């Protein structure tokens, strides 16, 4: 198969980029009074405005041709049909089946997917009701006032984000806490706020072998045991895992083990029992509303024609900036404190899915794939890196995510979101500065080039439904990118080596092993760590 960059559709799109590279955003708007409407679409509670990006209608059309050439929507249908498109792990990718019933009618290993999901959901509801209705927990008794969720990566980021986004101060559920890092500082800070007699521990790990999670789980269980004794401590632990055998060996009784399936990737697992802390925090009905919001976006992704398909549209513009504009990063600025963890969530979703260098057949790629994703909530980011956005030497596309909740200071919040995007579009030239009386010597320093691209995503409020829709939108955005890049977004072999090196280095740092086989820098750091001279 020829490289993607040699295909007709790629070369045609590249030709459009070359032909329009010098056209500014303001010129694009001047040439097309309908541009804003032409580049704006809405679905499932979300409006995306891509008019402030450097694509002419013809360039956008060439990107749809590229999507057609790469059969992106055909791959979508194969994913939905349960094909093993996660080819290197020989697995289907059926996270949609966790929330969209019609996607769950498939059978995996003879078991209906939706039946397994429904059973797990029913078990989740039982556990949630026990806690939220204040029923005594287990033989030891005592009501649960605090839920401690232990996990990392996909076993942490989604639940953490959803709890931050959906939990209101007035909520009457338990307090939900998260620890992920193996740094004891994180768990010590949380433990200090817990009463072991009223604490429930959730150990979330698909493999039940992640070093950080097991270390934190051991410490949490010891905390409970110190107050309640070993038996009661064990009763207060729930495991969410694909390895029930390991959870059982660790001491979790079967009735407190919730399943994870190998057809759900960790970073796609919020909709699975991994979402238990969300249900604990806001109630099972709102967790199911979160899933329903994602299902609404699933149906849009499944049914909408390419030109109106939000995930596909976002992915095509991403490809334009990554591969034709050579932008090495994309900035994500959610103008909502409750979405402050969204950049972190998207880092894993996008960079662990598409940070690849070989195609699905193992051929090395001669084109770029996932850019670096970073960002911070607005308006805070304006006081951190917007200088770079406005006057830096790099031009990075920026996603401005706003929540339509008119009134009070949220009008000002939205004004910042929209105003910053307008400023990045138009900039401010030296003539304007001259007319404003700015001294000539200062004008170069105060000039803003503008012509900096942004995409605005506007949510109809921040509800379980719109959050679900937003996260599903990004799952499908990542999928569409991957299908054009011809890569597998569902494996993550790249995380293995670092983990192996870390596991091997622990005994060496403790003086239980020899650093001789390590590189000189690591040997020096080990020596210094153990109190000796660097080398
Ligand atoms: O980062 C590597 C990774 O395997 C992620 O894909 C996963 O979400 C995370 O570690 C945690 O893995 P587990 O849920 O198995 O503990």
């Amino acid at each position: 198969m020829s490289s993607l960059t040699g295909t007709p559709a790629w070369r045609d799109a590249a030709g459009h980029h070359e032909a329009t590279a010098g056209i500014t955003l303001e010129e694009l708007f001047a040439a097309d009074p309908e541009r804003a409407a032409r580049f704006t679409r809405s679905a499932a509670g979300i409006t995306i405005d891509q008019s402030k990006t450097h694509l002419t209608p013809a360039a956008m059309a060439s990107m749809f041709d590229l999507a057609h050439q790469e059969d992106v929507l055909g791959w979508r249908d194969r994913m939905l049909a349960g094909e093993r498109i996660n080819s290197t792990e020989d697995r289907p990718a059926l996270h949609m089946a966790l929330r969209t019933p019609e996607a769950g009618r498939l059978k995996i290993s003879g078991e209906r997917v939706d039946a397994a999901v429904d059973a797990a959901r029913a078990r989740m509801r039982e556990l949630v009701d026990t806690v939220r209705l204040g029923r005594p927990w287990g033989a030891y008794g005592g009501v649960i006032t605090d839920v401690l969720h232990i996990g990392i990566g996909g076993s942490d980021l989604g639940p953490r984000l959803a709890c931050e986004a959906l939990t209101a101060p007035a909520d009457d559920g338990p307090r939900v806490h998260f620890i992920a890092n193996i740094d004891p500082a994180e768990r010590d800070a949380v433990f200090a706020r817990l009463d072991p007699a009223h604490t429930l521990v959730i150990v979330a790990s698909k493999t039940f072998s992640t070093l950080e999670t097991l270390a934190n789980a051991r410490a949490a269980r010891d905390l409970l045991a110190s107050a309640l004794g070993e038996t009661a401590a064990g009763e207060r632990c729930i495991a969410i895992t694909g390895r029930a055998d390991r959870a059982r060996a660790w001491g979790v009784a079967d009735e407190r083990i919730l399943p994870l399936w190998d057809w759900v990737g960790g970073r796609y697992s919020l909709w699975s029992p991994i979402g238990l802390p969300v249900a604990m925090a806001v109630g099972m009905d709102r967790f199911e509303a979160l899933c329903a919001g994602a299902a609404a976006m699933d149906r849009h992704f499944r049914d909408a024609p390419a030109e109106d398909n939000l995930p596909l549209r976002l992915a095509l513009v991403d490809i334009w900036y990554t591969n034709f504009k050579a932008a090495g990063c994309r900035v994500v600025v959610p103008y909502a404190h409750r979405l402050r963890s969204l950049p972190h969530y998207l880092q894993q979703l996008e960079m662990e899915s598409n940070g690849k260098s070989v195609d699905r057949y193992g051929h090395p790629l001669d084109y770029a794939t996932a850019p670096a994703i970073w960002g911070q909530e607005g308006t805070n980011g304006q006081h951190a890196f917007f200088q770079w956005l406005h006057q830096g030497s790099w031009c990075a596309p920026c996603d401005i995510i706003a929540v339509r909740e008119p009134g009070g200071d949220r009008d000002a919040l939205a004004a910042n979101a929209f105003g910053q995007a307008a400023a990045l579009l138009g900039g401010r030239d030296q003539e304007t500065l001259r007319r404003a009386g700015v001294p000539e010597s200062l004008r170069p320093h105060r000039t803003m080039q503008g012509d900096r691209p942004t995409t605005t995503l506007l949510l109809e409020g921040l509800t379980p439904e719109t959050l679900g829709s937003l996260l599903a939108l990004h799952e499908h955005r990542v999928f569409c990118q991957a299908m054009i890049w011809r890569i597998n977004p569902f494996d993550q072999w790249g995380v293995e080596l670092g983990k192996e090196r870390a596991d091997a280095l622990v005994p060496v740092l403790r003086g239980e092993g020899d650093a001789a086989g390590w590189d000189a820098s690591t040997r020096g750091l080990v020596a210094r760590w153990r109190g000796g001279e660097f080398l």
Side-chain angles (χ1 to χ4, degrees), residues 151-156 204-211 213 240-241 260 265-267 269 274 348 352 492 495-496 499:
I152 197 164
S155 296
D156 165 74
S205 176
K206 187 174 177 185
T207 58
F208 219 85
S209 66
T210 301
L211 184 72
T213 301
I240 304 170
T241 185
L260 284 181
R267 52 194 174 273
S269 65
I274 286 288
Q348 187 200 17
E352 191 164 274
Q492 55 285 321
V495 304
E496 282 190 337
K499 287 182 181 179

Side-chain angles (χ1 to χ4, degrees), residues 333 335 376-388 416 420:
V333 187
Y335 275 80
Q376 187 181 148
E377 67 182 279
T379 60
N380 308 36
Q382 296 172 195
H383 306 272
F385 51 80
F386 272 54
Q387 164 64 38
W388 181 89
N416 275 274
Q420 288 289 343

Side-chain angles (χ1 to χ4, degrees), residues 102-341:
E102 58 267 39
R105 294 196 186 101
L106 298 163
K107 282 192 174 184
I108 303 285
S109 308
E111 184 184 16
R112 279 270 297 235
V113 166
D114 53 357
V117 173
D118 291 347
R121 280 282 173 80
R123 185 62 184 129
M124 286 173 71
R125 184 174 284 274
E126 288 168 4
L127 295 169
V128 168
D129 286 350
T130 298
V131 170
R132 291 180 60 84
L133 296 175
R135 295 174 188 149
W137 183 276
Y140 175 80
V143 298
I144 300 298
T145 59
D146 289 79
V147 175
L148 171 58
H149 182 87
I150 300 171
I152 197 164
S155 296
D156 165 74
L157 290 165
R160 189 189 291 255
L161 166 61
C163 282
E164 288 175 355
L166 301 179
T167 304
D171 280 352
D172 56 359
R175 286 179 295 272
V176 177
H177 313 267
F178 290 87
I179 53 177
N181 200 331
I182 199 167
D183 181 347
E186 184 180 25
R187 64 175 179 246
D188 292 347
V190 172
F191 287 1
R193 302 201 299 270
L194 296 177
D195 173 355
H198 298 285
T199 296
L200 178 66
V201 171
I202 298 174
V203 182
S205 176
K206 187 174 177 185
T207 58
F208 219 85
S209 66
T210 301
L211 184 72
E212 300 95 322
T213 301
L214 294 181
N216 284 324
R218 178 76 264 165
R221 185 170 169 159
D222 290 346
L223 173 75
L224 295 186
S226 65
L228 311 176
E230 279 296 341
T231 304
E235 277 187 356
R236 293 292 186 81
C237 292
I238 291 172
I240 304 170
T241 185
R243 292 301 301 267
D245 56 327
R246 291 176 177 166
R248 211 173 286 121
W250 191 80
V252 183
D254 279 356
E255 65 266 23
R256 285 190 299 280
I257 298 176
L258 292 174
L260 284 181
W261 301 277
D262 67 9
W263 38 265
V264 179
R267 52 194 174 273
Y268 297 88
S269 65
L270 170 60
W271 330 97
S272 77
I274 286 288
L276 181 62
V278 185
M280 288 284 182
V282 302
M284 196 65 192
D285 291 346
R286 299 185 77 210
F287 172 73
E288 292 189 338
L290 175 76
C291 295
M297 183 54 72
D298 291 347
R299 295 185 182 103
H300 166 75
F301 179 47
R302 182 193 60 198
D303 301 336
E307 290 70 17
D308 300 327
N309 199 299
L310 270 58
L312 181 59
R313 292 185 65 90
L314 289 171
L316 293 176
V317 174
D318 294 337
I319 301 275
W320 180 267
Y321 279 102
T322 300
N323 296 98
F324 300 134
K325 290 284 184 188
C329 69
R330 191 177 88 242
V331 190
V332 176
V333 187
Y335 275 80
H337 181 62
R338 292 170 291 165
L339 293 178
R340 59 193 178 276
S341 293

Side-chain angles (χ1 to χ4, degrees), residues 182 211 496-530:
I182 199 167
L211 184 72
E496 282 190 337
L497 182 59
K499 287 182 181 179
E500 287 167 19
R501 291 284 187 270
D503 290 351
L505 207 47
V506 170
V508 176
L509 289 179
R510 289 175 173 160
E512 300 155 8
D514 186 348
W518 294 83
D519 62 84
S521 167
T522 305
R523 289 201 309 274
L525 292 167
V526 167
R528 193 76 199 91
W529 178 261
R530 286 163 54 180

Side-chain angles (χ1 to χ4, degrees), residues 399-421:
D399 284 356
I400 300 280
I401 297 164
V403 176
R404 199 179 71 80
E405 291 172 329
D409 284 343
R410 285 186 171 141
D411 292 337
L413 185 61
N416 275 274
F418 304 154
Q420 288 289 343

Side-chain angles (χ1 to χ4, degrees), residues 420-440:
Q420 288 289 343
L424 287 165
L425 162 67
R428 183 168 60 190
D429 63 17
Q430 295 216 28
E431 176 54 23
T432 306
L433 293 165
R434 186 192 62 78
R435 287 202 303 269
V438 174
E440 186 173 2

